[in-house]
Amino acid sequence: PLPSFDPRFLETPTGAVRLQSPNYIRRDSDEKIERQILGGGSTTTIRAGRQMGKTSLLVRGANFAKEQGHRVVYLDFQQMESEFRSSLDNLLRYLADETTFRLGLSEDQLTKIWSSSRGGPDKFNHFMEASVLQDSAPLLIAIDEADQLMDAEYKTDFFALLRAWDSRRAFDSTWEKLSLALVISTHPHLLIDD
């Protein structure tokens, strides 16, 4: 039988599949990420080999979150300049700057918080509590290519910070508004030593 589509309109398989693409095939994982997002205050790890549709799934999860009224900050660690990955402090300041920009927050408060003598993780947590999580709308931080930090000497500290947020949700309802979705091509246990 003849195909029910015109092959001239097939997309060349490169990178993430566009949201509007008729060629995207929903999978069980689409429903799983949507349930995670609806549940709120979750950490989701999207793990598979290269070119298996992880970013396409993340994009659809982020779009679903927006449709549900969530604020979304999308970060692609592969596109991040190496100077921002050179230290934990540089990375966290970049993430705070990007979050401020994406959410339309005041740069003045971020500058004030970052001028303190505290360490990067404490500054970032203070920034999240004082600026980002004060809004009543839930927030999804979607990180693509998180395993770009696998060789960073501070990887354990960074992923421990993300894990600590999960613990904070248990005793501080402010943090329940925060959900994370991370795309990795490795086993999650390799991201943190403990």
Side-chain angles (χ1 to χ4, degrees), residues 78-106:
Q78 186 172 350
Q79 292 180 350
M80 187 185 307
E81 294 178 30
S82 60
E83 75 176 83
F84 298 123
R85 289 185 299 198
S86 64
S87 72
L88 181 60
D89 284 346
N90 286 356
L91 175 67
L92 294 175
R93 177 57 196 246
Y94 172 83
L95 296 180
D97 283 336
E98 191 65 16
T99 301
T100 297
F101 174 73
R102 295 289 168 205
L103 299 180
L105 302 174
S106 167

